[in-house]
Structure formats: structure tokens, C-alpha cells
Amino acid sequence: APPERLTGREVVAYYAGLAIAPVSVIAPLMQTTPLFVAVMSYFFLPDLERITKYVITGAALVVTGAIVITLVT
């Protein structure tokens, strides 16, 4: 599927989630996207994407930062 179709589906899923759960639940879930991308690229694109310690550290920092911001506010 073209990337724009996947992005459209993500937006629909995001708003569907907001319709059934509060933002305080949905926002941290959405911020786990970098971890899913890293894991899926490791399994499905092993020749194209190298998962280094920097990629893992960056994804973990993004998720941790989103969780901290969500818990503080």
C-alpha cells in the first residue's frame, strides 16, 4: 500500500481511539510508534535497515519522553 494510505489509516485509528478512550491513554500509545517501526524494520527489512544502539536509544528516548510528559501534565 502506498504510504499515504497507511498514514490515512493511522489518523483514522487515532481518532477512533480518542472516541473510546481519554487522551491520557491514547497519546502514550501513539508515542510508541518509533519502537514498533524499529522492531518491524528489523524483521521485515533486515537488508535495508540497520538497527544500531543509536536507533534503539533514540526510540527509547522518544517513548520515555512522551510518557514523562503525559504523566506530568
Side-chain angles (χ1 to χ4, degrees), residues 2-58:
E4 59 272 5
R5 287 189 186 169
L6 296 177
T7 301
R9 290 177 186 163
E10 175 201 355
V11 171
V12 169
Y14 177 70
Y15 284 114
L18 288 175
I20 61 173
V23 174
S24 61
V25 173
I26 300 301
L29 290 175
M30 290 298 295
Q31 299 307 321
T32 61
T33 302
L35 290 179
F36 286 112
V37 169
V39 169
M40 293 299 162
S41 67
Y42 175 77
F43 288 112
F44 294 110
L45 303 170
D47 297 332
L48 298 176
E49 187 70 34
R50 288 183 35 218
I51 304 299
T52 63
K53 63 181 177 181
Y54 299 111
V55 172
I56 293 170
T57 302

